[in-house]
Amino acid sequence: MRDGNEEHVRELMRLGGRWPPILVHEGTGVVIDGVHRVAAARMLGLLRVDASLFTGGPDAALIEFIRRNVQHGL
């Protein structure tokens, strides 16, 4: 991860897994929202994270990604 992203992951690690569920595309398993949370979970040695499934197509997934990330820009 790049510098700013590494700091964000460290901030998430301080929460110890107490963060919102990630969003995963149901058909592909691709993380639409929550890549930094997944990285933090791995670094914490967590074997599971809460997740919600997304069932839309690729265009809808991109729109949802942008909608969820427009505020913080990560």
Side-chain angles (χ1 to χ4, degrees):
M1 299 228 155
R2 294 187 314 262
D3 296 329
N5 294 339
E6 289 175 11
E7 179 57 33
H8 185 61
V9 170
R10 283 193 293 275
E11 290 174 16
L12 290 167
M13 288 175 66
R14 288 186 201 102
L15 297 174
R18 295 180 308 274
W19 50 69
I22 64 172
L23 184 64
V24 177
H25 189 271
E26 184 176 43
T28 64
V30 171
V31 176
I32 296 170
D33 182 55
V35 171
H36 295 102
R37 284 170 270 167
V38 171
R42 286 183 177 145
M43 293 181 81
L44 289 169
L46 301 178
L47 300 177
R48 303 176 85 154
V49 294
D50 289 336
S52 299
L53 294 177
F54 182 83
T55 58
D59 291 340
L62 177 60
I63 291 168
E64 185 62 17
F65 167 79
I66 293 168
R67 187 187 74 74
R68 289 180 178 230
N69 289 281
V70 70
Q71 294 294 327
H72 56 68
L74 295 173

